[in-house]
Amino acid sequence: MARTGVWKKKSGSSVFEKVLHAEKKATGKSPRFYAPEDVKAPLAKKATNKPTKLRSSLTPGTVLILLAGHFKGKRVIFLKQLPSGLLLVTGPYGVNGVPMRRVNQVYVIATETKIDISSVDVSKYDDSYFKGAKKEKKSGSDSVFKEEAGKKELSADYLKNQKAMDSALTPIIAKTKDLEIYLKAHFSLKDGDRPHLMKF
Amino acid sequence: MAGEKIRLYVKGKIVNYKRSKCNTHHKTSLLEIEGVESKEETPFYLGKKVAYVYKAHTKKAGPNGPTKFRCVWGKITRAHGSGGTVRATFRKSLPAKALGAKCRVMLYPSNI
């Protein structure tokens, strides 16, 4: 007895009905069972994860001032933005002791000093390069754990990459007058400084 | 004091709680930032983190070992009036002994 008019359901409206339909097509038999209620089709997930929007003042090769962390006050060179949104910076290490490091753009002041680093290859660095080795979960006694906690040694790879980055950047820095001295110097607020009036 | 080698914060003074004539609202404190004298100069500082640093008698765990220094973090929420004073909320409301004390207005989260 067919339902007519307003009560007639549109066929193939729900996911389940589509599945049943597909099944019927495939096997040629009527499906095994019908859901008592209409199964709602899940909404399509269209969210894409994009890296944080970069401030317009942040372009690769900009000299940045680090505001927090172990290297606060140091002036570093911005290399590129990583897929996670964090910024990849380096001192360079030979100049002011800042290795290649990730930094959030919110903890950084971009100065107007920029250098051209288009000749430097940064494509191989991404977030997984900076993630530490996964700590093995030990369900043993405490003493076993303490033995493991020795000094973290940097892999030869890290040191080699840092040296390569340094040697790529040094000639570019040497082109700009006083830039090396500038990168060596700390930034600090002094008496009478008004950051809201300062031009960086 | 010999002075800090690197100061990456602006000095501020915790002036008061947000209040009316007879009622004080402790959740919000009023800060005077050094060098900020008008409302037009405050937009730079909105959203910046503030730290009220103080010393206590007993040592407590710190990032570099036990220390007598303690800190309450907060952030600047909006300007207060037209004279450069600024409102800030802290994670825990500031104790009354903080009134008149110094606080550190950090330069982060930065927008430059």
Side-chain angles (χ1 to χ4, degrees), chain A residues 196, chain B residues 36 38-48 79 86 111:
Chain A
H196 62 278
Chain B
V36 180
S38 70
K39 190 170 162 188
E40 286 70 44
E41 300 180 321
T42 56
F44 172 87
Y45 296 97
L46 299 186
K48 299 286 185 280
V86 121
N111 197 26

Side-chain angles (χ1 to χ4, degrees), chain A residues 75-106:
Chain A
R75 295 179 166 103
V76 295
I77 297 174
F78 168 45
L79 297 173
K80 75 167 186 177
Q81 185 183 30
L82 299 169
S84 66
L86 299 174
L87 312 179
L88 172 63
V89 298
T90 186
Y93 183 73
V95 172
N96 55 20
V98 182
M100 278 193 290
R101 219 167 190 265
R102 296 186 295 174
V103 136
N104 192 313
Q105 62 174 316
V106 126

